[in-house]
């Protein structure tokens, strides 16, 4: 079994996705390349469709052969799904049109052993109708100052959420899904935690607009104090 | 990260499910107990609903508290979902009414990193209609001599399959599902491998009855030679 990744971003003493892929591409092209990802996922976040770009002068390997070539050099915990040539202007982070995040809550009494690293087990019965009602208030353009981790360096806290949904799935799973043009540091997990508080009745759906508008990190902190434990 | 289990059955030098749960129950009841499972799953098989019974003289812990108590002593890779009192006659293995096995084939070109231990990646496009047609021939009572690993000690090779299905799922997944009164050693994986050979056109659906009836392990071996590589 392999060690857990410390997230996407390159860091000296911890296994990371960026470093592993850069090394693999380097072995193939013989160049020192730099990978730019659409989002620098934290440790514990699993990507189903991360996009990353790099520049290469290599002309020996046809572009469609890159995934197989890179995968042959990678650990099995990282898989390149496809590759295509893009214009020089393309930049994975700045060219992003939308990003989608999914939080999986296992709402069964005991959770599972098999999927334990892929979902959050919360044994108290959640009211997904209330959660569905509440999450709709996050859609649109808002200043999400109250929903970011302290110490965030982003210039603006304004983000647009195109779609926000709570989906009831088989086997007591609840998916919390957010699609937007970008997310602040820890914003998704703070919203997911808020949804859980709505699900247990601690926050009413109608209170959400007021919480967003307050832009008050302290207020958010107070309301969402448990989140950090939940998702740490 | 934890080491991989060597299967259900107790064995001296390898992590196993039975041993871990017996130890956890022992810590709670103070007794040396023996767990009887409905099926002794091999290494690499994940159970969603294994049933196991044990005898105890313990009267201090109410039965409904057992799962939480046992889980508190277990690694996170094993979860007890529920517990109930049964009659002295109940025997997990002999009282079984039916068992259901699922083989998940990931038929995408590159597979996934995240679910790699839970599914078999087969990149060549499979014809699931042919597979669906072929698997129906396994339903009913048959002598499955041609579908068991050599060296199997079972007295009879006759088993009844109540339901056999190939299901097309999202994201290029194909589920091969078999429900029956029991399965011979390696029988499920040999049938799954046969289905893959049907899916790539190497075996025609109409050939299945003849292959089953031949009861010829050598013939099966010849046809299903790749299975051992596939599922090893």
């Amino acid at each position: 079994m392999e060690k857990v990744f410390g997230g996407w971003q390159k860091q000296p003493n911890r296994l990371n996705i960026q470093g592993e892929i850069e090394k693999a591409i380097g072995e193939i092209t013989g160049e020192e390349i730099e990978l730019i990802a659409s989002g620098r996922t934290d440790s514990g976040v699993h990507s189903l469709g991360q996009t990353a770009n790099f520049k290469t002068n290599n002309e020996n390997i046809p572009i469609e052969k890159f995934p197989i070539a890179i995968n042959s050099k990678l650990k099995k915990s990282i898989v390149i799904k496809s590759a295509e040539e893009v214009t020089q202007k393309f930049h994975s982070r700045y060219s992003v049109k939308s990003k989608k995040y999914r939080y999986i809550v296992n709402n069964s009494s005991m959770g599972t052993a098999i999927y334990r690293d892929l979902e959050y087990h919360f044994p108290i019965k959640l009211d997904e109708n209330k959660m569905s009602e509440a999450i709709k208030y996050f859609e649109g353009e808002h200043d999400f100052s109250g929903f970011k981790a302290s110490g965030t360096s982003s210039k603006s806290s304004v983000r647009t959420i195109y779609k926000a949904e709570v989906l009831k799935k088989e086997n007591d799973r609840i998916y919390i899904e957010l699609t937007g043009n970008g997310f602040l540091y820890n914003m998704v997990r703070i919203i997911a935690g808020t949804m859980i508080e709505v699900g247990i009745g601690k926050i009413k759906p109608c209170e959400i607009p007021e919480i967003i508008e307050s832009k008050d990190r302290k207020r958010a902190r107070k309301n969402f104090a448990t989140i950090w434990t939940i998702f740490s």
Side-chain angles (χ1 to χ4, degrees), chain A:
Chain A
M1 300 290 272
E2 288 159 23
K3 277 183 286 179
V4 171
F5 287 99
W8 168 270
Q9 202 161 16
K10 215 149 53 166
Q11 41 190 316
N13 298 313
R14 204 161 165 203
L15 198 65
N16 59 83
I17 314 270
Q18 184 186 4
E20 293 301 307
I21 304 177
E22 285 183 355
K23 200 167 65 188
I25 297 174
E27 286 177 40
I28 290 158
T29 65
E31 301 163 315
E32 199 173 308
I33 64 100
E34 196 204 336
L35 260 189
I36 298 162
S38 65
R40 288 158 296 177
T41 49
D42 286 338
S43 181
V45 176
H46 297 83
S47 297
L48 291 171
Q50 171 76 286
T51 299
N53 68 285
F54 65 97
K55 289 182 181 175
T56 176
N57 293 312
N58 184 282
E59 286 177 349
N60 299 326
I61 307 159
I63 186 73
E64 66 274 15
K65 299 286 182 200
F66 260 95
I68 287 177
I70 304 172
N71 288 337
S72 75
K73 304 288 181 188
L74 283 173
K75 296 169 196 296
K76 289 192 170 178
S77 45
I78 308 174
V79 171
I80 308 300
K81 294 165 95 174
S82 67
E84 58 186 283
E85 209 173 323
V86 288
T87 62
Q88 287 281 341
K89 275 187 184 172
F90 183 86
H91 186 289
S92 298
R93 184 141 46 119
Y94 303 137
S95 307
V96 160
K97 287 186 179 154
S98 77
K99 296 178 185 179
K100 183 175 176 177
Y101 282 87
R102 175 184 295 156
Y103 243 100
I104 304 178
V105 180
N106 184 319
N107 200 206
S108 70
S109 59
M110 292 299 169
T112 69
I114 301 170
Y115 301 99
R116 69 190 181 283
D117 295 330
L118 302 173
E119 57 190 21
Y120 170 65
H121 177 225
F122 191 82
I124 303 163
K125 186 83 189 83
L126 296 169
D127 184 331
E128 70 272 4
N129 293 325
K130 280 190 184 158
M131 293 165 77
S132 284
E133 191 190 331
I135 205 163
K136 285 292 158 200
Y137 292 111
F138 286 95
E139 290 185 348
E141 191 185 86
H142 300 282
D143 183 331
F144 287 102
S145 301
F147 290 84
K148 66 181 183 189
S150 59
T152 313
S153 59
S154 311
K155 283 171 210 155
S156 165
S157 297
V158 176
R159 295 290 183 277
T160 302
I161 294 185
Y162 304 125
K163 200 171 182 182
E165 282 185 304
V166 169
L167 304 163
K168 176 93 177 152
K169 296 281 177 178
E170 280 181 354
N171 302 317
D172 298 314
R173 256 86 170 188
I174 293 170
Y175 286 9
I176 299 168
E177 294 190 347
L178 296 164
T179 308
N181 63 353
F183 295 90
L184 302 166
Y185 189 54
N186 280 344
M187 179 174 150
V188 177
R189 67 183 72 192
I190 298 176
I191 294 177
T194 309
M195 283 307 104
I196 288 174
E197 304 221 330
V198 168
I200 57 172
K202 210 169 151 189
I203 297 174
K204 290 194 191 87
C206 64
E207 291 178 73
I208 298 292
E210 183 199 321
I211 291 170
I212 297 172
E213 280 159 36
S214 76
K215 294 173 214 164
D216 186 354
R217 208 180 307 167
K218 276 194 208 113
R219 177 155 180 208
R221 250 191 214 143
K222 193 175 142 209
N223 281 319
F224 314 136
T226 52
I227 298 152
W228 307 108
T229 320
I230 290 174
F231 294 107
S232 68

